[in-house]
Amino acid sequence: MSCHLPLLATLHAQGLRRTPQRTVIVEQLCHNRGHLTAERVFRLASRHLPALNIATVYRTLETLRAAQVVTAFVTPDGLTEYELRRPEVRHHHLRCRRCGGEWVLPGPPVERLRSQIVNAHQFHPDLDHLVLTGLCAKCAGGATPRSTQAG
Amino acid sequence: MSCHLPLLATLHAQGLRRTPQRTVIVEQLCHNRGHLTAERVFRLASRHLPALNIATVYRTLETLRAAQVVTAFVTPDGLTEYELRRPEVRHHHLRCRRCGGEWVLPGPPVERLRSQIVNAHQFHPDLDHLVLTGLCAKCAGGATPRSTQAG
DNA sequence: ATCGTAGTTGCAAGGAGTCGCAACTACGAT
DNA sequence: ATCGTAGTTGCGACTCCTTGCAACTACGAT
């Protein structure tokens, strides 16, 4: 069962159109789990819909984000990346700025930070999806990180 | 005593030139504490050096960052901001995405997160200077945040 | 003081992302 | 099935930031 149909239904339920462009973009997001830049989405999607325009890709990704179908986040490098939204799986990423390796950071440590911020400052931080760059153990001169590779 | 002279000396000690452009840019960073976008640096500095070119500003800020005179960071909005580097004062920012208000988050909670990541994953995250967006107490419908206003 | 040269600049072109508009079309009503 | 219309697209122009290059110059050696 394709995963894009319920997502398109979500759009439709919000009064938004299920255009071929949006369909193919959502399909690619389903087929290529993990983070995708807009450019990559464009390249993947335009194989199936050659007349697709890059401006449409950006707009569609923004529409999907606003519709909470997709999560968009800015990496510390200043790149915007997109990922299908999985609200029940709150996770973060550790990304090595030297080798590019990436690991999943499970939710609890960041949740503790969130709690501390809420309690001490009554501030509600957007901490659903963090990408933290740094150096992995190997590049920093040590052993392998212990968490799972990112997916 | 102007703060820009020792900073320019730092550049010089690294084999880099103390040009008038760099001087005026560093002066503005000293006079205008807090976060500055490249555009704002450009506007401030070009009052003193009208022929200054925006490309030079970007390059100079990057040079200053590489020389560890300046900290550069990408906000969750995707904007790059710069701040004089003060390694002995490790701090972070809470910025309200609705009202734009900004508060300082002192170091310890993030340090605890860092320790947890290092211990569990042998990953050394870049956590010297975080900007966390979210909703302040007022915009989220509560009382005022308790930490100091950002400076 | 002059000189040589490598670091740096201004400039124009280029790339990534955004925006406004005319043309197109998804889709609910009939 | 057709129709009307508001949502959406492709396109070209625009903005912000980056890049390559010729010209300039900071500065160490003399």
Side-chain angles (χ1 to χ4, degrees):
Chain A
M1 182 54 180
S2 298
C3 94
H4 66 282
L5 293 178
L7 298 178
L8 290 169
T10 299
L11 281 193
H12 192 246
Q14 298 180 40
L16 304 173
R17 302 289 177 85
R18 289 169 294 198
T19 64
Q21 294 85 352
R22 289 176 174 170
T23 302
V24 80
I25 286 169
V26 171
E27 279 171 347
Q28 295 313 312
L29 289 166
C30 288
H31 286 300
N32 298 275
R33 292 300 178 96
H35 309 172
L36 294 175
T37 60
E39 191 206 347
R40 179 140 179 74
V41 173
F42 172 65
R43 274 196 269 109
L44 291 168
S46 53
R47 289 182 196 162
H48 302 269
L49 200 57
L52 182 64
N53 184 276
I54 185 70
T56 299
V57 175
Y58 282 107
R59 274 181 304 214
T60 298
L61 289 171
E62 169 56 26
T63 300
L64 292 171
R65 185 205 60 75
Q68 306 208 331
V69 169
V70 155
T71 299
F73 52 94
V74 178
T75 69
D77 299 331
L79 299 177
T80 302
E81 293 177 6
Y82 302 87
E83 184 176 52
L84 281 186
R85 186 165 151 82
R86 294 183 287 164
E88 73 287 344
V89 185
R90 189 169 281 183
H91 69 286
H92 312 280
H93 298 269
L94 304 174
R95 184 178 291 179
C96 181
R97 62 181 143 81
R98 182 162 295 169
C99 70
E102 190 156 318
W103 294 267
V104 170
L105 172 66
V110 177
E111 286 309 303
R112 285 194 283 274
L113 175 64
R114 179 205 300 278
S115 298
Q116 285 159 21
I117 293 172
V118 172
N119 291 337
H121 307 286
Q122 288 75 50
F123 185 92
H124 301 266
D126 302 324
L127 282 176
D128 290 340
H129 193 284
L130 262 188
V131 175
L132 294 176
T133 57
L135 284 179
C136 67
K138 186 175 177 183
C139 295
T144 321
R146 202 174 290 170
S147 70
T148 56
Q149 286 273 345
Chain B
M1 183 54 184
S2 296
C3 96
H4 67 282
L5 292 177
L7 297 179
L8 290 169
T10 299
L11 280 194
H12 191 246
Q14 298 184 37
L16 303 173
R17 302 289 176 82
R18 288 169 298 199
T19 63
Q21 293 85 349
R22 288 174 175 173
T23 301
V24 78
I25 286 168
V26 171
E27 279 171 349
Q28 295 313 313
L29 289 166
C30 289
H31 287 300
N32 297 275
R33 291 301 176 99
H35 308 176
L36 294 175
T37 60
E39 191 206 345
R40 181 141 177 72
V41 172
F42 173 63
R43 274 197 269 109
L44 291 168
S46 53
R47 289 181 194 162
H48 301 268
L49 200 57
L52 183 63
N53 185 277
I54 184 72
T56 299
V57 174
Y58 281 108
R59 275 183 302 215
T60 298
L61 289 170
E62 170 54 27
T63 300
L64 291 170
R65 184 206 60 77
Q68 306 210 332
V69 169
V70 154
T71 298
F73 52 95
V74 178
T75 70
D77 298 331
L79 298 178
T80 302
E81 294 177 6
Y82 302 87
E83 185 177 53
L84 280 185
R85 185 165 151 80
R86 293 181 289 163
E88 73 287 344
V89 185
R90 190 168 280 181
H91 69 286
H92 312 282
H93 299 270
L94 302 175
R95 183 177 294 178
C96 181
R97 63 182 141 82
R98 181 162 295 168
C99 68
E102 190 157 315
W103 295 266
V104 169
L105 170 66
V110 177
E111 286 309 303
R112 285 193 283 275
L113 175 63
R114 178 206 300 280
S115 298
Q116 284 159 22
I117 292 173
V118 172
N119 291 338
H121 306 285
Q122 288 76 50
F123 185 92
H124 301 265
D126 303 323
L127 282 175
D128 292 339
H129 194 281
L130 262 188
V131 175
L132 294 176
T133 57
L135 285 179
C136 69
K138 186 176 180 183
C139 294
T144 322
R146 199 177 289 172
S147 71
T148 55
Q149 286 273 344

